């Protein structure tokens, strides 16, 4: 009996020292972008508050991250995307208008979960069609509509899951833009950039902040019909925590509008191509910008 | 970067992120040691206790054996339900895995002491506590250390998995490598230090184990 008591006791003692509520715990998903923003948020919080910051990285998906927030394992999320949360955590229909999407997630999260969805960092990580520079020049491509006249001769490489998706998948896309590609190759999303750079396919559908856009010098085509839902990226935190510690809100607020899509592309590129750790990238990024000091306007 | 070979990329990575890898190395080691230390604090007394009351040894060792058969990720997932994400869960997981080798080795170490030695102690008028501290523990210490050694090497492996639930450590670097474009070098940068740590911990405790073995120490003294 004693041994069970001992085990139980040790578990209880440990669990008691596990979750002090005042500690700042920043959750992030496993992607490179998630890790970089996690370290940026950590750096800002350490710079502007006296709190201890713990990172909970490598969470499997946005849904897991949301669950961790609900359980109190994390009280800040490094980055959340309007589109992902709208259709994932909140179970709503996808919305293409960025402003409308942001207003919706902000309102619902505040009302139903007492969580604050900040305004965007300034970058969005949505789907985008991209081609090599040569292809763009050859056919005079700048926006997706330009593809219409040449699409039937082109080969498209896309994420497997996008092919069969309802709402914003290939079927809906070809209806909205009124054209189809000659051949479509569904593949793993990580491979599309290499595929287009090596001319295996002519056009691919990738993510706008991927570092490989910069490393392969790809041209991103403008979504002129606003077909893809908005995936603007924002910091995210527990409202109660923000009310208890206003300096946390201020520190996060300073990041709003400060990281453009190009900048995020560059940072992702440093991590994925130049083998620099997200922790190192974030630290240098913050030092470069002097922790966005002197800019306190919300 | 793609024009470099994996080995070149590895050295480039280490040069660029050396201090980061080192800090993760320390964090990783810390988590392993905490878990094993906790298991030692609780496991060694349990081991001593069941060696004194052998009728309990069966159930206790069976329980520890059962824990050992649960896959690390599954045990971690179960503990996570209670303790949530983060370092605590990993330390507790390491603790459970370390119990078996530590309890078992303490038990075996004390049970295997020549009865004539403890009898001699008793004959000299030593109390039970004195026999424990002056005869039994010194004689079984090297075997107990062997248990801790096994526990620590296993722990280093378990902490690497702990990165999945946000505990950090070198596993973090390995996971990042699996997600990056040219990830092989990054995976190596996480995996090599992990292996190195396990080897170092093993060698260090082996040395300690030899130092603490009175039978071998005597030979050293005679030689000197």
């Amino acid at each position: 009996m004693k041994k069970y008591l001992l085990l139980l006791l040790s578990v209880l003692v440990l669990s008691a020292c596990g979750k002090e509520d005042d500690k700042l715990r920043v959750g992030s998903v496993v992607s490179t972008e998630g890790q970089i923003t996690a370290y940026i948020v950590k750096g800002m919080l350490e710079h502007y508050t006296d709190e201890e910051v713990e990172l909970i990285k490598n969470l499997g998906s946005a849904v897991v991250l949301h669950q961790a927030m609900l359980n109190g394992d994390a009280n800040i999320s490094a980055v959340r995307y309007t589109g992902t949360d709208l259709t994932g955590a909140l179970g709503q229909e996808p919305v293409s208008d960025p402003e409308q999407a942001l207003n919706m997630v902000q309102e619902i999260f505040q009302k139903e979960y007492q969580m604050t969805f900040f305004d965007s960092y300034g970058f969005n990580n949505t789907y985008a069609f991209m081609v090599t520079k040569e292809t763009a020049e050859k056919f005079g491509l700048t926006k997706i509509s330009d593809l219409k006249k040449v699409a039937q001769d082109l080969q498209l490489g896309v994420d497997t899951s996008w092919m069969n998706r309802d709402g914003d998948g290939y079927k809906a896309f070809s209806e909205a833009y009124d054209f189809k590609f000659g051949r479509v190759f569904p593949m793993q999303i990580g491979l599309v950039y290499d595929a287009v750079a090596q001319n295996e396919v002519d056009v691919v559908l990738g993510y706008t902040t991927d570092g490989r856009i910069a490393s392969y010098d790809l041209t991103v085509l403008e979504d002129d019909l606003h077909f893809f839902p908005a995936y603007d990226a924002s910091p995210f935190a527990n409202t109660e925590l923000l009310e208890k510690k206003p300096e946390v809100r201020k520190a996060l607020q300073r990041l709003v509008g400060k990281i453009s899509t190009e900048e995020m592309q560059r940072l992702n590129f440093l991590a994925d191509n130049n083998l620099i750790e997200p922790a190192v990238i974030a630290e240098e990024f913050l030092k470069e910008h002097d922790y966005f000091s002197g800019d306190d306007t919300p | 970067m793609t024009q470099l070979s994996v080995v070149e990329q590895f050295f480039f990575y280490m040069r660029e992120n050396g201090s980061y890898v080192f800090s993760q190395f320390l964090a990783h080691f810390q988590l392993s040691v905490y878990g094993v230390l906790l298991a030692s604090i609780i496991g060694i007394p349990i081991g001593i206790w069941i060696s004194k009351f052998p009728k309990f040894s069966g159930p206790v060792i069976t329980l520890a054996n059962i824990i050992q058969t649960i896959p690390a990720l599954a045990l971690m997932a179960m503990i996570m339900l209670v303790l949530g994400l983060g370092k605590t869960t990993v330390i507790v997981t390491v603790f459970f895995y370390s119990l078996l080798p530590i309890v078992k080795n303490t038990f075996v170490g004390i049970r295997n002491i020549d009865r004539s030695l403890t009898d001699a102690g008793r004959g000299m008028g030593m109390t039970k506590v004195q026999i424990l501290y002056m005869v039994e523990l010194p004689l079984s210490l090297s075997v107990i250390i062997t248990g801790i050694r096994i526990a620590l090497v296993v722990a280093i492996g378990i902490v690497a998995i702990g990165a999945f639930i946000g505990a950090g450590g070198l596993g973090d670097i390995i996971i990042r490598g699996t997600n990056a474009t040219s990830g092989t070098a990054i995976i190596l940068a996480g995996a090599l230090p992990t292996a190195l740590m396990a080897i170092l911990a093993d060698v260090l405790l082996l040395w300690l184990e030899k130092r603490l073995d009175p039978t071998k120490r005597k030979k050293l003294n005679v030689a000197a």
Side-chain angles (χ1 to χ4, degrees), chain A residues 230-295:
Chain A
Y231 284 93
D232 286 301
S234 298
F236 186 82
N238 193 315
T239 307
E240 197 187 296
L241 174 90
L242 296 178
E243 276 161 10
K244 224 190 285 174
K245 300 180 197 301
E247 68 274 18
V248 172
R249 181 191 291 272
K250 266 189 188 161
L252 293 175
Q253 192 69 51
R254 279 170 188 270
L255 289 169
V256 165
K258 298 296 162 48
I259 311 173
S260 66
T261 304
E262 289 73 32
E263 184 71 351
M264 199 64 232
Q265 255 180 37
R266 187 181 71 87
L267 298 180
N268 282 334
F269 174 69
L270 286 177
D272 283 342
N273 188 72
N274 290 4
L275 299 179
I276 300 175
E277 269 302 312
V280 180
I281 294 169
E283 199 190 336
E284 278 171 13
F285 175 73
L286 287 176
K287 276 189 187 150
E288 236 171 72
H289 292 273
D290 198 19
Y291 293 87
F292 301 101
S293 65
D295 196 338

Side-chain angles (χ1 to χ4, degrees), chain A residues 3 7 10 14-15 18-19 30 39 55-59 68 73 212 271-280, chain B residues 1 9 12-13 17 20 38 42 60 63 83-85 88 92 99 163-164 166 172 175-176 179-182 186:
Chain A
K3 59 189 181 284
L7 283 181
S10 58
L14 279 164
S15 63
K19 288 187 197 170
V30 73
Y39 279 107
L55 284 189
I56 301 176
K57 300 188 292 178
N58 302 324
L59 298 177
D73 287 326
R212 282 163 283 190
D272 283 342
N273 188 72
N274 290 4
L275 299 179
I276 300 175
E277 269 302 312
V280 180
Chain B
M1 205 50 58
Q9 283 182 13
F12 177 83
Y13 176 91
N17 310 291
Y20 174 76
L38 206 67
I42 292 167
V60 170
L63 182 73
L83 296 182
L85 298 165
T88 321
V92 174
L99 271 183
F164 278 116
D172 219 70
I175 295 178
R176 212 183 86 64
N179 285 306
T181 322
S182 38
I186 304 181

Side-chain angles (χ1 to χ4, degrees), chain B residues 39-144:
Chain B
S40 308
I41 292 170
I42 292 167
I44 294 175
I46 294 179
I48 295 172
W49 178 63
I50 57 173
S51 70
K52 300 292 170 198
F53 302 96
K55 62 172 174 175
F56 291 113
S57 66
V60 170
I61 289 183
T62 307
L63 182 73
N65 272 331
I66 291 171
I67 295 174
Q68 213 73 9
T69 60
I70 307 171
L73 202 55
L75 184 63
M76 210 175 278
M78 286 194 279
I79 297 172
M80 190 177 78
L81 294 179
V82 184
L83 296 182
L85 298 165
K87 295 187 167 69
T88 321
T89 303
V90 174
I91 293 177
V92 174
T93 310
V94 170
F95 163 79
F96 279 119
Y97 276 104
S98 305
L99 271 183
L100 172 72
I102 291 174
V103 170
K104 214 177 191 173
N105 276 41
T106 310
F107 173 72
V108 171
I110 292 181
R111 293 298 288 179
N112 280 2
I113 293 169
D114 195 342
R115 280 299 289 267
S116 61
L117 292 172
T118 46
D119 283 346
R122 206 168 297 129
M124 285 159 67
M126 282 177 155
T127 62
K128 272 187 177 168
V129 179
Q130 279 174 323
I131 291 176
L132 180 66
Y133 277 94
M134 300 167 97
V135 181
E136 289 174 330
L137 279 185
L139 285 175
S140 56
L141 208 52
S142 70
V143 183
I144 297 176

Side-chain angles (χ1 to χ4, degrees), chain A residues 131 136 139-147 219-223:
Chain A
V131 294
F139 298 113
L141 305 172
T142 55
K143 49 189 197 287
I144 297 178
S145 304
D146 295 341
L147 281 167
T219 304
V220 176
L221 302 178
E222 189 204 333
D223 180 15

Side-chain angles (χ1 to χ4, degrees), chain A residues 25-284:
Chain A
R25 286 183 299 268
V26 181
S28 95
V29 292
V30 73
S31 67
T32 305
E33 189 166 290
Q35 311 247 332
I36 293 174
T37 45
Y39 279 107
I40 288 177
V41 166
K42 181 173 188 258
M44 286 298 277
L45 291 174
E46 280 172 349
H47 188 80
Y48 285 107
T49 72
D50 301 324
E51 308 284 337
E52 202 184 320
V53 185
E54 194 188 325
L55 284 189
I56 301 176
K57 300 188 292 178
N58 302 324
L59 298 177
S61 68
V63 179
V64 177
L65 177 57
H66 185 60
Q67 208 56 44
M69 291 283 295
L70 292 180
N71 292 345
D73 287 326
N75 43 31
I76 297 170
S77 297
V79 59
R80 297 283 280 257
Y81 305 93
T82 50
T84 316
D85 272 324
L86 209 54
T87 55
L90 302 178
Q92 306 275 333
E93 290 293 307
V95 173
S96 308
D97 181 48
E99 210 164 312
Q100 196 193 341
L102 183 66
N103 287 340
M104 269 177 83
V105 288
Q106 282 180 333
E107 203 174 306
I108 303 177
F109 270 120
Q110 191 62 267
K111 224 191 291 175
E112 286 179 21
Y113 298 100
Q114 284 76 52
M115 290 185 188
T116 302
F117 203 107
F118 282 77
D119 288 344
S120 173
Y121 280 118
F123 63 91
N124 70 77
N125 191 2
T126 184
Y127 278 120
F129 281 98
M130 41 197 85
V131 294
T132 56
K133 223 171 200 146
E134 296 80 57
T135 314
E137 276 164 19
K138 192 168 146 200
F139 298 113
L141 305 172
T142 55
K143 49 189 197 287
I144 297 178
S145 304
D146 295 341
L147 281 167
K148 192 171 177 175
K149 49 189 186 301
V150 288
Q152 56 274 19
D153 303 324
L154 297 180
Q155 299 183 318
L156 173 72
V158 295
D159 187 6
T160 318
S161 67
W162 184 75
M163 275 310 288
N164 308 314
R165 243 174 46 190
D166 291 328
D168 61 343
Y170 184 55
K171 193 163 164 274
F173 168 80
S174 49
E175 278 164 18
Y177 273 96
D178 192 29
F179 68 83
K180 280 193 166 172
F181 287 93
R183 275 192 79 178
V184 184
F185 297 90
M187 56 181 88
Q188 210 254 323
I189 183 72
L191 299 175
V192 300
Y193 309 95
D194 299 289
V196 72
Q198 281 157 20
N199 287 320
E200 299 287 338
V201 291
D202 308 298
V203 188
V204 291
L205 186 65
Y207 288 114
T208 40
T209 54
D210 199 283
R212 282 163 283 190
I213 296 173
S215 60
Y216 295 139
D217 198 16
L218 302 177
T219 304
V220 176
L221 302 178
E222 189 204 333
D223 180 15
D224 49 335
L225 293 185
H226 298 289
F227 169 74
F228 290 110
Y231 284 93
D232 286 301
S234 298
F236 186 82
N238 193 315
T239 307
E240 197 187 296
L241 174 90
L242 296 178
E243 276 161 10
K244 224 190 285 174
K245 300 180 197 301
E247 68 274 18
V248 172
R249 181 191 291 272
K250 266 189 188 161
L252 293 175
Q253 192 69 51
R254 279 170 188 270
L255 289 169
V256 165
K258 298 296 162 48
I259 311 173
S260 66
T261 304
E262 289 73 32
E263 184 71 351
M264 199 64 232
Q265 255 180 37
R266 187 181 71 87
L267 298 180
N268 282 334
F269 174 69
L270 286 177
D272 283 342
N273 188 72
N274 290 4
L275 299 179
I276 300 175
E277 269 302 312
V280 180
I281 294 169
E283 199 190 336
E284 278 171 13

Side-chain angles (χ1 to χ4, degrees), chain A residues 272 275, chain B residues 5-7 9-10 13 173-174 176-192:
Chain A
D272 283 342
L275 299 179
Chain B
S5 75
V6 170
V7 177
Q9 283 182 13
F10 171 75
Y13 176 91
I173 299 175
I174 300 176
R176 212 183 86 64
T178 60
N179 285 306
T181 322
S182 38
T184 318
I186 304 181
I187 295 174
L188 279 179
L192 287 183

